[in-house]
Amino acid sequence: MTDAAAATVSLPIQRNWLLTLLELRTYVALILVFVFFAIMAPNFLTVDNAVLISKHVAINAFLAIGMTFVIITGGIDLSVGSVVGLTGMVAGYLVLYGIDLGLGWSIQFNTFEIVLITCAVGVFVGWVNGMLITKLHVAPFIATLGTLYVARGAALLMSEGRTFPNLNGVEEYGSASFPAIGAGTLLGVPVMIWCLVVVTIAAIYISRRTPLGRAIYATGGNERGAALSGIHVDRTKLFVYMFSGLMAAIVGIIIASQLRAAHPATGEFFELNAIAAAVLGGTSMAGGRGRIWGTIIGAFVIGILSDGLIMMGVSSFWQMVIKGLVIIAAVVVDQWQRKLSARLALAQEAG
């Protein structure tokens, strides 16, 4: 075999190894950050810290799962952080006051009803996002940026910028179990982790086993082609934004329950973590590609990175810089992977 022929054969093989490495980048990143902070951060390898990190990861993961579906369709949801703040305030208001009917009458709710109403608020905000994008043809970035401000403003108006404290609930109304959502345990595992497991399984099932999941990927891969093949593109987009709103509402409930207090500023910059986790997990910002399990791993990377930097005493300002760089690096690597995949495909066709 000549040198030229050998080079022709080895090129696809080398690219294949590089492509595999790029596809496994999330796992490589997880191992690197874990090892780094295990060495550099004091008390990182403790049970208490593992539990704390798992709770932070769960919060990021809920939002990132919803964001993954949105990004796969070629969209973006910048409003999730504000929806977390708004739904936390809604839950806090219902726990403390119920709904005032006037003349000294009010409707009080139990924990299940509070969760149901709060989730409905999150889904409604997602529906508004979806309608703006599908019916009024507003760009996702602009539509969700607008609802970001509206939701945050509504959260501030609910209490004039003050905190709803002492969300312990009332036994008589059936709301005393509200704090257990974020702070309780089941079989020694935090309730919020069990909730994440259920949501993750449901999301993986939707993405892999249902026509809706195939429609989500098809919409992001080629929207016009998906529409011509009979897929209801508008309904698909509406679903993913409503699902993202639901995930934000769950996080708002968990945080309000965990802290037993609701503050309108809760959730600021949470959308950064969600986007970072999704992109790190292999979700392409161009749409059409992404995995829920990869997003969960990405959420672990972001969670460990955030907590590790705090344990090392790194300034919160530098933490923002580092997270921004992580997002940029993830997008750049994703572009490399796409180009390498295209070149490998061309090389295989030529061969």
Side-chain angles (χ1 to χ4, degrees):
M1 182 181 293
T2 65
D3 293 341
T8 303
V9 172
S10 64
L11 183 58
I13 297 175
Q14 293 171 359
R15 285 177 175 172
N16 192 23
W17 276 105
L18 181 56
L19 182 60
T20 302
L21 182 61
L22 291 176
E23 290 174 347
L24 296 175
R25 63 184 181 273
T26 312
Y27 300 93
V28 174
L30 178 62
I31 294 171
L32 290 177
V33 296
F34 183 86
V35 172
F36 176 80
F37 289 118
I39 297 173
M40 300 299 297
N43 302 319
F44 181 81
L45 297 177
T46 62
V47 175
D48 290 342
N49 187 56
V51 173
L52 182 63
I53 290 177
S54 68
K55 290 181 177 180
H56 292 168
V57 167
I59 290 174
N60 291 334
F62 280 116
L63 296 177
I65 289 172
M67 189 69 73
T68 297
F69 279 145
V70 171
I71 295 176
I72 289 174
T73 62
I76 195 74
D77 189 354
L78 301 179
S79 68
V80 290
S82 295
V83 176
V84 168
L86 174 61
T87 52
M89 294 298 289
V90 169
Y93 185 91
L94 293 175
V95 170
L96 289 178
Y97 307 114
I99 296 179
D100 187 7
L101 300 178
L103 301 177
W105 293 87
S106 65
I107 301 177
Q108 301 295 331
F109 301 96
N110 60 36
T111 299
F112 177 76
E113 292 166 340
I114 291 170
V115 170
L116 197 62
I117 294 171
T118 305
C119 286
V121 171
V123 171
F124 174 75
V125 177
W127 177 83
V128 171
N129 283 331
M131 292 299 288
L132 288 171
I133 293 165
T134 59
K135 301 303 181 183
L136 299 181
H137 304 291
V138 180
F141 181 90
I142 301 300
T144 58
L145 181 64
T147 51
L148 177 154
Y149 284 108
V150 172
R152 185 67 69 191
L156 291 164
L157 286 170
M158 287 189 67
S159 65
E160 298 297 328
R162 295 188 297 271
T163 299
F164 286 146
N166 304 318
L167 303 182
N168 298 310
V170 179
E171 189 71 38
E172 180 183 353
Y173 302 140
S175 59
S177 58
F178 181 75
I181 298 174
T185 60
L186 179 63
L187 301 178
V189 178
V191 172
M192 59 193 298
I193 302 300
W194 287 112
C195 293
L196 177 61
V197 170
V198 172
V199 169
T200 301
I201 292 174
I204 291 175
Y205 179 79
I206 290 172
S207 65
R208 293 184 178 181
R209 303 290 184 179
T210 66
L212 175 59
R214 291 189 287 272
I216 290 172
Y217 283 97
T219 298
N222 187 334
E223 183 174 328
R224 180 170 175 77
L228 292 174
S229 66
I231 291 174
H232 296 286
V233 171
D234 286 355
R235 292 182 189 177
T236 302
K237 289 185 177 181
L238 198 60
F239 167 80
V240 298
Y241 283 98
M242 291 171 67
F243 186 78
S244 181
L246 174 62
M247 295 298 100
I250 290 175
V251 173
I253 293 168
I254 288 174
I255 294 177
S257 169
Q258 194 175 53
L259 301 178
R260 302 193 182 194
H263 191 276
T266 301
E268 288 185 339
F269 303 115
F270 277 22
E271 58 275 359
L272 276 180
N273 290 340
I275 294 170
V279 174
L280 271 174
T283 304
S284 173
M285 293 298 291
R289 181 161 53 85
R291 296 175 301 168
I292 299 300
W293 183 246
T295 294
I296 298 298
I297 302 299
F300 269 98
V301 173
I302 297 298
I304 292 175
L305 183 64
S306 298
D307 284 24
L309 291 173
I310 292 173
M311 295 180 71
M312 290 180 63
V314 177
S315 166
S316 59
F317 306 135
W318 276 109
Q319 292 180 40
M320 293 179 65
V321 171
I322 292 171
K323 288 178 184 177
L325 292 175
V326 167
I327 294 176
I328 294 172
V331 173
V332 170
V333 172
D334 177 69
Q335 293 298 320
W336 286 349
Q337 180 182 342
R338 290 171 65 88
K339 292 179 180 179
L340 188 57
S341 297
R343 291 177 181 175
L344 181 60
L346 288 174
Q348 290 175 341
E349 290 178 2

